[in-house]
């Protein structure tokens, strides 16, 4: 029975590239493994796979009767449906440990680095298995994406070293300009329904018993989002109305290095409590905030605790 390797819901480039590369590594170790994604590829991931000639993973949303390896998450709220009806045999991630539990021992490697693909690179190296050119290309792009081209506070020297090594294997001499090209693809929001934009990079969290949704759109210039901001706020209101305490949408300007956060909440004072900012109306500018994982989730978890 093949093992399915899958990243989080609303897959990003790391979830997709880590699923594909871990499945590749498992296969080379003689374990039948298939990459999967919990939904359609976003434009950035589609660009990256196309660039390196890699096929899109199968879409899988239910774990029932499957052997599963989780990448890029270990939170139930972000994982496959009916996870308990499947068997988790591995977790390879770079987030805080989530609330997934298993009845059996499992293989697990979670490192405080900027990207799951940096962890996967370590796994290939540890197994002394060669990384192919296409795998190197997509893993490199995932690291550039997750670390916002090394600008995110989540970025570590391991991530930079991994990108440099993978770029050599992939035959990419100027990886920073490929990174810019990738972020331009990510920034193109014209013609995309507001609902799709809210869910493009969206995660639900359980914070102090409250369901909290946090989405993020990373663009090269916030002015790109100006025409759709009102529609985004309306969509956030709909998402909140589905039974959430709050929905926050980070509009991240990767050049200015900060985020405007749209706020839809039963109690917006949590934002003031979490970030020490004054909140007027339905949005606030958070200077220097690029990372949901490192700069947004922890202060909210503390505030909601
Ligand atoms: Mg991710
Ligand atoms: Mg990641
Ligand atoms: Mg990200």
């Amino acid at each position: 029975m093949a093992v399915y390797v899958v990243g989080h819901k609303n897959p990003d480039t790391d979830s997709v590239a880590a699923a594909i590369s871990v499945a590749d590594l498992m296969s080379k170790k003689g374990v039948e493994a298939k990459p999967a994604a919990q939904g359609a590829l976003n434009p950035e991931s589609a660009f990256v796979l196309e660039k390196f000639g890699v096929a899109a993973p199968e879409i899988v949303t239910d774990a029932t009767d499957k052997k599963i390896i989780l990448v890029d998450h270990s939170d139930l709220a972000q994982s496959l449906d009916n996870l308990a009806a499947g068997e988790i045999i591995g977790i390879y991630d770079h987030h805080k440990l989530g609330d997934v539990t298993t009845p059996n021992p499992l293989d697990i490697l979670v490192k405080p680095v900027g990207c799951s693909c940096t962890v996967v690179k370590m796994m290939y190296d540890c197994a002394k298995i060669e990384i192919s050119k296409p795998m190197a290309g997509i893993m490199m792009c995932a690291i550039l994406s997750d670390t916002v081209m090394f600008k995110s506070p989540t970025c570590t020297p391991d991530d930079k070293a991994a990108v440099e090594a993978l770029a050599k294997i992939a035959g990419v001499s100027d990886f920073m300009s490929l990174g810019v090209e990738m972020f331009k693809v990510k920034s193109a929001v014209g013609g995309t329904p507001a609902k799709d934009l809210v869910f493009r990079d969206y995660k639900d969290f359980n914070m102090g018993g409250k369901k909290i949704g946090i989405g993020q759109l990373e663009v090269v210039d916030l002015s790109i989002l100006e025409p759709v901001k009102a529609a985004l706020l309306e969509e956030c209101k709909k998402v909140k109305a589905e039974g959430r305490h709050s929905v926050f949408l980070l509009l991240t300007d990767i050049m200015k290095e900060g985020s405007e956060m749209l706020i839809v909440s039963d109690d917006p004072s949590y934002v003031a409590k979490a970030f020490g900012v004054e909140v007027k109306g339905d949005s606030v500018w958070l200077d220097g905030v690029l990372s949901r994982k490192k700069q947004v989730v922890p202060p909210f978890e503390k505030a909601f605790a």
Side-chain angles (χ1 to χ4, degrees):
M1 186 170 76
V3 176
Y4 282 89
V5 189
V6 68
H8 54 73
K9 284 196 200 320
N10 305 307
D12 58 4
T13 300
D14 186 26
S15 268
V16 171
I20 294 171
S21 52
V22 166
D24 174 73
L25 176 59
M26 297 305 290
S27 304
K28 284 175 176 161
K29 283 177 163 178
V31 178
E32 198 196 334
K34 284 183 187 172
Q38 294 193 62
L41 299 183
N42 68 33
E44 182 196 62
S45 305
F47 165 82
V48 168
L49 294 196
E50 154 119 53
K51 177 100 197 156
F52 293 98
V54 175
E58 187 182 325
I59 292 180
V60 172
T61 58
D62 195 295
T64 305
D65 295 335
K66 293 185 181 78
K67 276 192 198 292
I68 306 284
I69 291 174
L70 301 180
V71 291
D72 202 31
H73 75 292
S74 64
D75 275 19
L76 285 172
Q78 296 161 23
S79 206
L80 294 168
D81 299 335
N82 303 311
L83 203 55
E87 189 195 358
I88 299 172
I89 64 160
I91 298 175
Y92 309 116
D93 189 22
H94 68 122
H95 294 87
K96 72 176 173 67
L97 202 54
D99 50 4
V100 162
T101 58
T102 63
N104 299 312
L106 74 165
D107 194 50
I108 179 161
L109 185 59
V110 180
K111 306 268 294 174
V113 292
C115 182
S116 301
C117 281
T118 301
V119 177
V120 181
K121 165 80 167 66
M122 293 171 186
M123 291 162 58
Y124 272 103
D125 292 348
C126 183
K128 295 193 168 58
I129 288 173
E130 212 178 297
I131 303 175
S132 69
K133 206 167 167 172
M135 290 307 114
I138 64 172
M139 289 163 70
M140 174 192 75
C141 285
I143 302 170
L144 289 169
S145 173
D146 258 16
T147 64
V148 194
M149 296 194 290
F150 307 146
K151 285 184 188 184
S152 169
T154 58
C155 185
T156 69
D158 287 334
D159 300 298
K160 288 186 186 170
V163 165
E164 275 159 24
L166 292 167
K168 275 197 191 112
I169 300 168
V172 175
S173 52
D174 188 354
F175 55 76
M176 286 310 242
S177 63
L178 177 55
V180 171
E181 207 186 325
M182 189 176 70
F183 273 98
K184 281 189 182 152
V185 170
K186 191 176 215 173
S187 302
V189 298
T192 309
K195 186 180 178 188
D196 294 4
L197 292 176
V198 169
F199 284 108
R200 185 172 277 180
D201 180 2
Y202 172 94
K203 290 177 181 175
D204 275 318
F205 298 88
N206 179 343
M207 294 187 185
K210 296 178 179 70
K211 192 169 179 184
I212 310 292
I214 309 177
Q216 183 171 30
L217 287 169
E218 291 165 322
V219 292
V220 289
D221 188 338
L222 265 198
S223 65
I224 294 167
L225 295 174
E226 212 47 59
V228 293
K229 216 185 267 178
L232 291 173
L233 195 63
E234 282 316 301
E235 277 308 322
C236 288
K237 287 180 184 162
K238 286 186 203 162
V239 178
K240 187 202 163 292
E242 290 164 2
R244 292 172 179 85
H245 177 279
S246 305
V247 171
F248 304 110
L249 184 63
L250 299 159
L251 311 178
T252 299
D253 188 318
I254 69 163
M255 294 302 170
K256 285 197 195 84
E257 301 192 24
S259 297
E260 178 177 351
M261 185 162 71
L262 303 187
I263 303 161
V264 182
S265 177
D266 284 340
D267 185 357
S269 76
Y270 282 106
V271 177
K273 196 174 157 193
F275 297 95
V277 289
E278 201 189 335
V279 181
K280 285 185 215 146
D282 39 29
S283 92
V284 68
W285 172 255
L286 300 172
D287 206 39
V289 169
L290 289 173
S291 167
R292 169 176 49 202
K293 180 174 80 163
K294 200 155 186 169
Q295 297 169 295
V296 176
V297 172
F300 268 139
E301 286 203 312
K302 224 168 155 186
F304 280 106

